[in-house]
Amino acid sequence: MQKFVEIFPDRTALIERGLSLVLAKLQAAIQSRGQFTLALAGGNTPKPLYEAMSTQSLPWENIQIFWGDERYVPPDHPDSNQRMARQIWLEKVDLPESNIHPMFTGAGNPQVDADRHEAELRQFFGVSDGEFPIFDLILLGIGDDGHTASLFPHTEALRVKDRLVTVGNKDGQPRLTFTVPLINHARCVVFLVEGEKKCSALKQIFAPEADEMNYPARLIQPQGELWWLLDRSAGSEIER
Ligand code: 6PG
């Protein structure tokens, strides 16, 4: 694993860097493999990045969009990560609907929908049981409790090693989430983190020793590149 940490003076600079990094990985992936497989983060931090992506002129037919996690709500619910990315970005570009791979949340049973998305990922990437798809880039954020995707502290989801998708749990609310091993098989993982609320969690995530069950983002050690893009208020405690 190669780890990179970059701290920026403000959100604008952070998002600009995030955009340049995504575009660089996108171009390299399409050049060498003909497609770019990208998993999106939810939450607020990535919204300006998705906005910026919507203004780019790109070979959309070669770009495949997934989500690293999803709230267990209908796709038109205000909390839906799929709805957020479609409204801010995907509906504004010529991305074929067949290139958009949301986590279905309509079975009324999160485990059933987790299994369904797992099967969809295995089919898309052509991987069988025991193998893990290799995403070109997985975008992640962190919560102020140190969670990432929907891998929340001290939850069962943190221990799942033999699945691609599992059921997360946020204060009793079910979520669907990529598992730690799926994320760690990625060619590139990019954390986008801003705001002083994330400062203390980041300190623990970067500390030489800390409980991974308490700070799940510590579990993210991808086989490829790990990028931490921080604004100064989030990264103020990180030794460089
Ligand atoms: C989600 C995200 C989640 C998010 C963090 C940070 O579904 O909410 O996947 O992991 O990245 O909670 O959220 P903010 O960017 O809103 O602080």
Side-chain angles (χ1 to χ4, degrees):
M1 174 184 84
Q2 286 178 290
K3 182 174 176 182
F4 307 89
V5 182
E6 295 182 356
I7 300 178
F8 299 92
D10 54 33
R11 169 195 281 206
T12 305
L14 172 68
I15 297 302
E16 271 169 16
R17 177 60 177 132
L19 178 64
S20 68
L21 184 57
V22 170
L23 294 178
K25 297 302 181 187
L26 180 154
Q27 190 183 15
I30 292 172
Q31 220 153 12
S32 53
R33 290 179 296 278
Q35 72 173 7
F36 179 57
T37 53
L38 171 63
L40 304 182
N44 296 308
T45 305
K47 288 180 178 174
L49 173 59
Y50 300 163
E51 184 80 55
M53 287 296 290
S54 76
T55 66
Q56 302 298 309
S57 162
L58 295 171
W60 298 109
E61 68 283 358
N62 301 117
I63 296 169
Q64 301 286 342
I65 299 291
F66 303 79
W67 279 263
D69 74 321
E70 185 55 276
R71 290 81 182 277
Y72 203 65
V73 294
D76 60 353
H77 189 283
D79 289 350
S80 165
N81 288 337
Q82 172 189 178
R83 176 177 181 268
M84 180 266 278
R86 283 183 183 274
Q87 283 187 339
I88 291 182
W89 169 13
L90 305 182
E91 287 168 0
K92 299 177 182 172
V93 297
D94 288 339
L95 189 74
E97 184 59 31
S98 57
N99 287 28
I100 303 175
H101 310 273
M103 293 179 166
F104 181 73
T105 57
N109 176 326
Q111 188 58 57
V112 167
D113 285 327
D115 295 346
R116 171 181 168 147
H117 196 61
E118 171 134 353
E120 287 165 352
L121 292 177
R122 289 196 181 285
Q123 206 236 327
F124 179 86
F125 285 92
V127 298
S128 49
D129 280 358
E131 295 175 325
F132 288 87
I134 299 176
F135 277 83
D136 290 308
L137 198 155
I138 298 178
L139 276 174
L140 295 172
I142 62 161
D144 48 15
D145 61 355
H147 82 260
T148 190
S150 282
L151 299 164
F152 289 91
H154 301 292
T155 57
E156 271 315 296
L158 303 185
R159 294 181 174 78
V160 176
K161 301 287 180 235
D162 58 349
R163 306 299 306 273
L164 309 182
V165 184
T166 192
V167 179
N169 178 325
K170 177 178 186 177
D171 309 329
Q173 293 304 311
R175 302 271 193 97
L176 301 183
T177 185
F178 279 8
T179 60
V180 170
L182 174 56
I183 296 171
N184 283 343
H185 275 77
R187 287 192 179 85
C188 182
V189 173
V190 178
F191 280 96
L192 216 51
V193 187
E194 68 157 323
E196 60 184 339
K197 280 194 312 178
K198 310 293 176 73
C199 194
S200 61
L202 270 178
K203 193 172 178 187
Q204 294 301 319
I205 291 163
F206 277 70
E209 297 293 326
D211 178 3
E212 294 172 337
M213 292 296 122
N214 238 349
Y215 297 96
R218 289 178 67 90
L219 295 166
I220 306 306
Q221 307 287 337
Q223 62 176 358
E225 297 180 359
L226 174 59
W227 289 79
W228 286 91
L229 303 183
L230 315 173
D231 79 338
R232 187 168 289 150
S233 49
S236 59
E237 301 271 316
I238 305 293
E239 279 77 59
R240 297 225 314 137

